[in-house]
Amino acid sequence: IMVSASVPNDTTFHPSTFILLGIPGMRDQHIWAAIPFCSMYILALVGNGTILYIITKERTLHEPMYLFLCLLSITDLVLCSTTLPKMLTIFWLKSHIISYQGCLTQMFFVHTIFATESAVLLAMAFDRYVAICHPLHYASILNAMVIGKIGLACVVRGLLFVFPFVILIERLPFCGHHIIPHTYCEHMSIAKLACASIRPNTIYGLTVALSVTGMDVVLIAASYGLILRAVLRLPSKDAQFRAFSTCGAHICVILVFYAPAFFSFFTHRFGQQVPPHVHIVLANLYLLVPPVLNPLVYGINTKQIRLRIFHFFMGRR
């Protein structure tokens, strides 16, 4: 492979660098493939940046739902920014090389922020459940201190569960293998290069996916199930329609976040028949599509934020 010529022949326990190939089988299309990815990245930056600016500026929006939306926008910005800039340099500048420590750092942030965002989506589902099913107790249940603790718990949980990934990678010998058929560094892509058993990596990764992220999905589904049950009891058909449309949009975004992520995760372990380029494209989409959609569904779909965006762009304060 052409890019390997510039990398020293490193046969030590850990290579000094890795090579990120990009999308396998699509190297000739990298320049063109970068255009939609770059466009989505810009949309994610603008959308989430706008949401953060409006909520922090408007004191009337300093309520639980909007504070959770702020946290979601921050995680979205970090999530796509951990991978997209490097991926674009691979596609446009053919800069395939990444240092060993840089690769582990990227892996750590990708998985930590994904786990954090999953927890934030669960917190937002709980927020909607309390607002719709227990409206009289909403302010007392979700006060500023509780929201702060929930936000901290989301981040700490991600850090605690993902840090062992770094330890599991550090214990592996690579025997000179340093070519990763991916656009970014993630746990199993790195582990598969090792010349030793990766069974602990596989078992721990599976445990985290099913017990942490899987439990988030179950609890989110339960929250929206209870919300829909409450909505069906509303006397007004118009109120039912508005609640259904809001919940439907939220569920669609949640599916877009989790479905490609679980597909990518299980493909690493059981999907040998899946074409590599399909796997890698989907692995990129679950890091990029939610940051593009979340400001639209959770933000612009909300009347108060929509009005302030309109006033902001029309120049009226």
Side-chain angles (χ1 to χ4, degrees):
I1 189 164
M2 292 296 292
V3 289
S4 63
S6 60
V7 180
N9 183 20
D10 195 340
T11 56
T12 56
F13 194 80
H14 290 150
S16 59
T17 57
F18 285 114
I19 294 173
L20 292 167
L21 285 187
I23 303 175
M26 293 182 62
R27 290 189 63 199
D28 294 338
Q29 289 83 44
H30 274 178
I31 291 175
W32 305 109
I35 295 172
F37 283 118
C38 183
S39 301
M40 285 192 286
Y41 183 46
I42 292 168
L43 285 173
L45 293 178
V46 172
N48 288 289
T50 303
I51 294 292
L52 282 172
Y53 177 80
I54 287 172
I55 292 175
T56 52
K57 282 296 213 182
E58 290 284 345
R59 294 191 62 83
T60 56
L61 297 180
H62 292 183
E63 297 175 6
M65 182 175 77
Y66 302 110
L67 295 177
F68 282 129
L69 184 56
C70 264
L71 189 55
L72 183 68
S73 289
I74 291 168
T75 55
D76 276 339
L77 287 171
V78 179
L79 187 66
C80 58
S81 296
T82 53
T83 58
L84 260 293
K86 177 60 181 174
M87 183 170 69
L88 293 176
T89 63
I90 293 170
F91 287 173
W92 279 335
L93 304 177
K94 302 191 184 303
S95 175
H96 295 263
I97 298 171
I98 185 170
S99 70
Y100 175 80
Q101 296 300 331
C103 193
L104 259 60
T105 301
Q106 188 184 54
M107 176 199 76
F108 179 76
F109 274 100
V110 166
H111 293 300
T112 299
I113 300 302
F114 178 83
T116 301
E117 179 151 340
S118 179
V120 172
L121 289 173
L122 174 58
M124 293 178 76
F126 175 69
D127 168 75
R128 291 298 83 208
Y129 163 74
V130 175
I132 292 172
C133 300
H134 302 283
L136 298 179
H137 304 287
Y138 182 65
S140 59
I141 293 173
L142 286 169
N143 55 51
M145 184 173 289
V146 170
I147 293 168
K149 288 179 179 178
I150 290 173
L152 181 62
C154 291
V155 176
V156 170
R157 189 193 74 159
L159 293 170
L160 289 177
F161 280 104
V162 173
F163 187 72
F165 285 153
V166 178
I167 298 170
L168 288 169
I169 291 294
E170 285 280 8
R171 57 173 276 280
L172 294 173
F174 288 89
C175 306
H177 302 152
H178 55 253
I179 298 175
I180 302 174
H182 212 309
T183 54
Y184 61 88
C185 297
E186 58 102 42
H187 176 232
M188 286 307 295
S189 292
I190 303 171
K192 283 183 174 181
L193 298 181
C195 51
S197 172
I198 60 169
R199 187 175 176 81
N201 300 68
T202 304
I203 291 171
Y204 183 72
L206 196 61
T207 303
V208 170
L210 296 179
S211 64
V212 180
T213 316
M215 185 57 67
D216 287 349
V217 173
V218 170
L219 293 174
I220 289 170
S223 295
Y224 278 106
L226 293 170
I227 289 168
L228 291 175
R229 190 179 71 172
V231 166
L232 290 172
R233 295 174 177 173
L234 292 174
S236 167
K237 292 293 182 185
D238 183 55
Q240 283 186 1
F241 175 76
R242 280 188 280 110
F244 272 125
S245 65
T246 301
C247 288
H250 290 190
I251 290 167
C252 286
V253 169
I254 288 165
L255 287 173
V256 168
F257 180 71
Y258 286 111
F262 278 112
F263 177 85
S264 175
F265 176 81
F266 287 113
T267 297
H268 267 306
R269 290 154 181 82
F270 314 112
Q272 285 76 20
Q273 305 304 316
V274 177
H277 66 277
V278 173
H279 175 204
I280 302 306
V281 168
L282 283 171
N284 281 288
L285 289 181
Y286 86 79
L287 299 182
L288 188 57
V289 173
V292 173
L293 292 182
N294 285 341
L296 298 173
V297 173
Y298 289 105
I300 297 172
N301 200 33
T302 306
K303 184 180 178 182
Q304 291 89 333
I305 291 180
R306 191 166 60 243
L307 285 172
R308 282 160 180 80
I309 289 174
F310 177 76
H311 291 161
F312 174 75
F313 284 108
M314 292 300 291
R316 288 189 282 124
R317 291 299 183 101

